[in-house]
Structures are given as structure tokens and as C-alpha cells.
């Protein structure tokens, strides 16, 4: 099925480019756990050729529907989440976009230049979701300049289209079903957690608790040579039930805001 194929491509790219996530996955399955994904997250810019609506449409065409909307005032992001219409075991999709008009003319023109370089044929199929950067050679000076305004913009410039992170759905775990247990497991195995806003983001009252590792540091090839950049992290989520007995399926803006910082070099 096309959707399985898409998730498989995204997962293979993710564990290839962010090897810690693959190591954690193998450690967890090695203890007998079966991994179900809570959500897969994507980043993009708000250019109408590649914005949330464009990326979201690929998932709508594959059986998803739009659910929640989220605004991140400080980071200047807008996001939507999507759920599969009929299959609850499918991961939710969380797509955010940077609101470029709220940044400098430099950032705006850089984004426009990048999108102008994308072959329009690339924009037409879900392959776009794992196509990486489509704007040629990367310039370290541009990266640094973007980084001074927005870590998100700099990340997107360097890594482009790919899953930003996958998320383990802890409710389906046998032994490591609590956020506390998984965090302890990760630390014992030498992985660092994102501590921005505390190791655990959200509370049972918010109906969602999340934690994440710090992103993998990888070598990225720029015009000027190779430099280390943080790319992707692994996230963990535990959901709680609503009064109607159903699991809460949304996202908590304050927690997601801190999770974004898992790729922040300046934190
Ligand atoms: Ni997430």
C-alpha cells in the first residue's frame, strides 16, 4: 500500500540520517517492546508552493483528514495535525510552517530563492516529503545568518524535506509505558534528553506527556567545508483519556514549543 511505502521511505531516511533513533528503536525492540508511532512531524516554510496545506494534501490523498491547528507566537510558526480517517493505528501527522513574513528581508529572500530552485515536478508527488534539500549547494554563511534569526529556518535550510522526528506511542508499550520509565531507560543507555521546559513536557491534566532526545549531531557538507549540525531527535508520548473515555489525540502548544528546541544548538 502506498501509505506503508511512504512511511517506510521516511523511516529509512530518518534512521539513516539520525542514527541514534535507529539505535533506540533497536534497543527497545530488543527488550521485547513493539513500537507503535504516535506521530510523525514535518517542518516547512509558509511559501504557498510548499506550505502546510501542500504537504498536508499528500496525506489527505492517502486517507488522512485535518484536525487541530496550533500557533507558536514566539517561534513564529503555524501547525496543523492530521489523523487517519479510518485506521486509528496510523500515526498522526504534525506539520508546521515558518511564517516568513515575520522575519527579515534576508530570510524571506533566502527562502524564496530556495523554493524557486525546486523543480516543479518534485512538488507534485509525496516523494517531496523525503526529498531533502532541493536548492543546490549549501552556504555556511547563509546557514549562520538564518540561525541568528530562527533555528527552525536554519534547520529547514540544511535538511529540507524529511521527517523531522518520529514519536513512540508509550501507551502501547509493555514495560516502558510511562514517560518516567522511558526517560530512565534512555539515560541508562547513554542518550541525552532535551531538558528545555523539564525532561517531561506536559502533565496528565494536559492529557499528553512528551519527552525527547537531543538531536543527533551530524556532518553537513557546505560550500565552505564540513560542519556539525544537529538534525533529528526521537520523541516519546503518553496520552490520557478524555471524559468520554477516548484517548486525547491533539497536541499541547506549550509542550510542542519546547520539543522544537531539541534541534537547537544555542539552547
Ligand atoms: Ni512531536
Amino acid at each position: 500500500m502506498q501509505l506503508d511505502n511512504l512511511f517506510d521511505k521516511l523511516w529509512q531516511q530518518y534512521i539513516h540520517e539520525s542514527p541514534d533513533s535507529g539505535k533506540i528503536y533497536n534497543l527497545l525492540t530488543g527488550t521485547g517492546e513493539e513500537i507503535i508511532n504516535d506521530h510523525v512531524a514535518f517542518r516547512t516554510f509558509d511559501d504557498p508552493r510548499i506550505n502546510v496545506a501542500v504537504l498536508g494534501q499528500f496525506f489527505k490523498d492517502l486517507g488522512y483528514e485535518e484536525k487541530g491547528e496550533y500557533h507558536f507566537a514566539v517561534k513564529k510558526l503555524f501547525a496543523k495535525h492530521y489523523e487517519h480517517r479510518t485506521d486509528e493505528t496510523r500515526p498522526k501527522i504534525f506539520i508546521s510552517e515558518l511564517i516568513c513574513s515575520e522575519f527579515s528581508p534576508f530570510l524571506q529572500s533566502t527562502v524564496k530563492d530556495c523554493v524557486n530552485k525546486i523543480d516543479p515536478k518534485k512538488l507534485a508527488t509525496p516523494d517531496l516529503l523525503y526529498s531533502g534539500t532541493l536548492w543546490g549547494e549549501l552556504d555556511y554563511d547563509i546557514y549562520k545568518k538564518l540561525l541568528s534569526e530562527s533555528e527552525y529556518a536554519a534547520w529547514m535550510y540544511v535538511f529540507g524535506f524529511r521527517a523531522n522526528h518520529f514519536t513512540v506511542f508509550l501507551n502501547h508499550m509493555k514495560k516502558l509505558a510511562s514517560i518516567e520509565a522511558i526517560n530512565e531507560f534512555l539515560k541508562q543507555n547513554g542518550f541525552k534528553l532535551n531538558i528545555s521546559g523539564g525532561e517531561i513536557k506536559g502533565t496528565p491534566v494536559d492529557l499528553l506527556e512528551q519527552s525527547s532526545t537531543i538531536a543527533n549531531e551530524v556532518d553537513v557538507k557546505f560550500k565552505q567545508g564540513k560542519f556539525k549540525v544537529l538534525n533529528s531527535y526521537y520523541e516519546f508520548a503518553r496520552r490520557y483519556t478524555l471524559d468520554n473515555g477516548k484517548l486525547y489525540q491533539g497536541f499541547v502548544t506549550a509542550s510542542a514549543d519546547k520539543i522544537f528546541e531539541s534541534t537547537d544548538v544555542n539552547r
Side-chain angles (χ1 to χ4, degrees):
M1 186 196 171
Q2 216 184 340
L3 192 56
D4 287 325
N5 187 38
L6 174 60
F7 282 127
D8 189 52
K9 290 255 173 54
L10 289 163
W11 174 255
Q12 293 305 330
Q13 177 187 38
Y14 174 67
I15 56 172
H16 176 71
E17 296 183 11
S18 313
D20 274 3
S21 303
K23 283 181 205 156
I24 293 167
Y25 178 90
N26 289 337
L27 277 172
L28 290 173
T29 51
T31 69
E33 296 284 3
E34 194 193 337
I35 310 293
I36 303 282
N37 291 308
D38 177 76
H39 65 273
V40 184
F42 297 86
R43 294 180 175 184
T44 191
F45 296 117
D46 69 350
D47 184 293
R49 292 167 287 180
I50 57 162
N51 63 12
V52 167
V54 170
L55 301 194
Q57 188 61 45
F58 295 130
F59 287 98
K60 283 165 113 173
D61 293 343
L62 293 169
Y64 277 77
E65 61 187 350
E66 267 178 52
K67 289 288 182 169
E69 286 192 6
Y70 310 89
H71 297 271
F72 301 90
V74 176
K75 293 187 174 66
K76 297 167 180 146
L77 300 171
F78 169 70
K80 278 186 183 176
H81 99 258
Y82 298 78
E83 293 174 25
H84 198 276
R85 274 195 287 274
T86 54
D87 187 350
E88 281 183 15
T89 66
R90 293 292 187 185
K92 289 171 277 299
I93 302 296
F94 185 91
I95 312 175
S96 57
E97 66 187 18
L98 189 73
I99 303 165
C100 296
S101 60
E102 297 193 14
F103 290 90
S104 71
F106 166 77
L107 185 146
Q108 292 180 48
S109 64
T110 301
V111 169
K112 204 164 207 176
D113 288 348
C114 286
V115 183
N116 285 345
K117 285 183 190 148
I118 303 176
D119 176 351
K121 285 200 285 289
K122 274 273 180 194
L123 299 171
T125 76
D127 299 351
L128 177 68
L129 294 164
Y130 50 88
S131 59
T133 54
L134 297 167
W135 30 87
E137 195 172 42
L138 299 174
D139 184 320
Y140 194 65
D141 297 331
I142 291 176
Y143 166 72
K144 288 300 262 187
K145 220 167 153 185
L146 291 174
L147 192 58
S148 70
E149 284 193 65
S150 163
E151 188 276 328
Y152 184 107
W155 187 94
M156 190 60 202
Y157 172 69
V158 166
F159 298 111
F161 301 100
R162 47 164 292 168
N164 175 266
H165 62 271
F166 278 70
T167 306
V168 176
F169 197 1
L170 296 177
N171 298 55
H172 291 279
M173 303 280 271
K174 288 177 239 158
K175 279 179 262 162
L176 299 169
S178 75
I179 282 272
E180 289 84 356
I182 192 82
N183 285 355
E184 202 47 49
F185 177 86
L186 292 166
K187 286 189 283 185
Q188 275 174 7
N189 283 285
F191 296 98
K192 285 207 179 87
L193 298 173
N194 168 5
I195 55 167
S196 178
E199 278 181 10
I200 302 173
K201 282 71 157 154
T203 65
V205 176
D206 297 319
L207 304 174
L208 173 62
E209 290 177 308
Q210 291 163 279
S211 70
S212 64
T213 59
I214 290 286
N216 259 145
E217 192 176 58
V218 296
D219 279 328
V220 175
K221 195 166 167 276
F222 293 89
K223 188 172 84 181
Q224 296 88 341
K226 274 187 186 168
F227 293 89
K228 298 226 180 276
V229 184
L230 296 183
N231 74 353
S232 279
Y233 51 92
Y234 212 178
E235 190 185 312
F236 306 86
R238 177 161 190 97
R239 295 183 178 276
Y240 290 85
T241 45
L242 295 156
D243 291 340
N244 64 10
K246 290 201 164 166
L247 273 189
Y248 174 65
Q249 296 294 343
F251 292 84
V252 178
T253 305
S255 302
D257 190 77
K258 298 297 176 203
I259 293 274
F260 277 119
E261 292 170 20
S262 307
T263 55
D264 195 343
V265 280
N266 297 317
R267 188 180 20 77

